Amino acid sequence: MAERIATRASYGKALVELGAENPDIVVLDADLSGSTQTKKFADVYPDRFFNAGIAEANMMGMAAGLAVSGKTVFASSFAMFASGRAYEIIRNSIAYTGANVKICATHAGVTVGEDGASHQCVEDLSLMRTIPGMTVLNPADDVSARALIKAAAAYKGPVYIRLGRAAVPVIYEEGKTFEIGKALRVREGKDAAILATGIMVNEALQAAEMLAAEGIECRVVDVHTIKPLDKDEVVAAAKECGCIVTAEEHSVIGGLGSAVAETVCKEAPCRMAMVGVQDVFGQSGKPGELMEQYGLTATDIAKAVKNCL
Amino acid sequence: MEHTQLQQIAKTVRQDIIREVYSAGSGHPGGSLSAADLLTALYFSEMRIDPAQPALEDRDRFVLSKGHAAPALYACLAERGFFPKEDLVTLRKIGSRLQGHPSMKMLPGVEMSTGSLGQGISAAVGMALAGRLDGGSGRVYTLLGDGELQEGIVWEAAMAAGHYKLDNLCAIVDHNGLQIDGRNEDVMNVMPIAEKFAVFGWNVLEIDGHDFEQILDALEMARKCKGMPTVIVAETVKGKGVSFMEGQAGWHGKAPNEEQAKQAMAELGGEL
C-alpha cells in the first residue's frame, strides 16, 4: 500500500527548502501556521515569517505590498478563508497588480472532514479561475505538490495552490517533473478519458482499474493546472476517446468540469460527465464518509464513465 | 521649499483636478481637492522620489488608499514630471493610462493599484514590512479618507502596523467629514479617529490639512518617531478652493459642467 502524506505537509517541507534557496521568500499566515504547516518555515526563518493574526483580508493586502516591493510571498490559510474571505483583495491588490504572491490554501474540499460545511470550501477553484492572470494549481499527491510549489516559486506572478488536510496516497515517484500548464497523462486508454484533479487523480486511477477489469480502457489525466488549462491534452482526450469524465473534490460549477467543458464545446464537442460536489453544502464526517456521501469515490467515477460511454 | 511655493503648486494641482474631472465628465473632485495640499506636501517636499527613476531603490513610496482621489494624485505626478501634463485630460477615457482609480501597471509613479477602499493601507503595511526586511531607509506613506475608516480591513491593517511597530509607515487621514451619502456621523460614525488609532498602537498627530507649516511639521515628527507607526489626522474641507464645492457631499463624485468648471478655474486663478 502506498505511503500517505497530506499535501499541506508537502507544502511545509517545500517551504523550508525554498527558504534556503531564496532569501527573498517571505511567508504569511493567519493564525493557522500549525495546520497549514507554514510553522515549519517560521521555525527556521523567523525573520521572514509574519503572522497576520485572524485577518485574512489584511494578510492578502500585506502580501501584495511585500510582493510589489520585490518579495516572493507565500500566504496561507484554509481554502475557505483564503479564497472566500479575501477574494476581493486577491483580485484587486494581488492579481490586478500582477503581484508575485503564492496563495497556498490548505484544508480545501470536503476532506477537511469533521469541521463541517463552514470550513469545506468547494468553490475556490471556481473563484480563483475567473480572475484574469491567476494561475490555479491543484496537486494530487506529495511529490507533485512539492514540485508544483517549487515551480510556482520560480514563476513570476500570482498563483493559487490548492492543498488538502487529509493524508492521501503518494502516486508519483520521487523526482518526477511537473510543468505548470502541462497536464500529465498517467494511464493510457481510448474508450474514455478521466480528467481528474487533486486528490481525485488517485480515485480516477482506481476507477480505471475497475473498468479495465470489465474491458473498458480509460485514459487518466492529472490536470494539476486548472488555469491555464492544457487545451491540447483536453482536445486530444475528446478526439481520441470520444468521452470525457471530469473528477474534482469541488463543486461541479466553475471548477475543472466547467473549464474542460468550455474548451471541449468550442474545440471538440464530445460526451461529458462531471464527478464533483453537486451544488450542495457539505457536513461533518470522516473524509472517507464524505467522499462517499458526495459521490467522489472511484466507484462513482466508474459509474459516470459507464453512463457516458 | 517655501510654503508660498507649495501653496502655488497646490493651486496648480487644484486647477488640474478641475480640468481632469471636467474633461472626463465624471470623477471625484471633492475628495481630490480636500487632499490637494497634503499630496503637494508629500510630492514636492517630503518624499525622496525621482521621476527619472520611478523604480529607484530605497525610495519613499506613496499609496493612495482613497483611490478615488486619483485626479489629485495624477496632477501631482504630472507636475512632478512622471508623465506629460497633456495626458491629464485623458483621465477616464478609453485607452488612457489614467484610469478612474490608479493602476500601477499602467502609470509610472503609481506604487499600488487602489480604488477598493481599505486595501491601500493594507498594502502599505506590507511595503513597510518589506522595507524593514531590506534594512532600507525608504518610508511608506498612505492617504485614507475618513469614510474609508468604516472598512474593517483598515483596522486589521492598523492592528498589524501597531503590532509590528512599523515606524517607517505614515498614514494620513483626509478628514473632511463627508462621504457619498452625507456626513460621516449620519452614515456611520467614525469618531473618535485619533483615539482609535492611539489604542491600536499608533503615534497620532492632529493638524489642519490645509496649513503647510502644520503638514510639514507633522511629517517631520512622523519621521522622527521611533517604535510605532504615525497617523496624521488632517482636518480638511471637502472641495477646498472652489466655493460651491466646499463642504458639499454632493460634489464627492460628480463632474462640473462647463459653466461650473469655468467658475471653479476662475476661483483657482486659472482658465479652463
Side-chain angles (χ1 to χ4, degrees), chain B residues 66-84:
Chain B
K66 49 172 290 186
H68 55 278
L73 173 64
Y74 298 156
C76 286
L77 289 174
E79 188 68 23
R80 195 73 169 74
F82 280 91
F83 60 87

Side-chain angles (χ1 to χ4, degrees), chain A residues 47 51 58 61 65 71 88 93, chain B residues 116 119 122-123 133-134 156 164:
Chain A
D47 296 344
N51 207 323
N58 184 51
K71 304 298 175 193
E88 197 228 332
S93 291
Chain B
S116 177
Q119 294 190 27
S122 183
L133 277 174
D134 292 337
E156 294 183 7
Y164 286 110

Side-chain angles (χ1 to χ4, degrees), chain B residues 155 162 192-204 228-229 231 233:
Chain B
W155 301 104
I193 296 171
E195 287 85 340
K196 281 193 180 79
F197 276 99
V199 297
F200 276 72
W202 290 60
N203 172 40
V204 184
M228 59 191 344
V231 62
V233 182

Side-chain angles (χ1 to χ4, degrees), chain A residues 26 47 50-51 55 57-58 61-62 64-66 68-69 71 88-89 92-93 96-98, chain B residues 61 103-105 112-113 116 119 122-123 125-127 129-130 133-134 153 156-157 160 164:
Chain A
V26 174
D47 296 344
F50 297 103
N51 207 323
N58 184 51
M62 291 199 300
L66 280 153
V68 302
S69 304
K71 304 298 175 193
E88 197 228 332
I89 294 89
N92 281 328
S93 291
Y96 184 41
T97 62
Chain B
R61 293 166 193 257
S103 171
M104 64 177 282
K105 285 177 87 176
M112 186 68 205
S113 303
S116 177
Q119 294 190 27
S122 183
V125 169
M127 289 177 179
L129 282 172
L133 277 174
D134 292 337
I153 190 174
E156 294 183 7
Y164 286 110

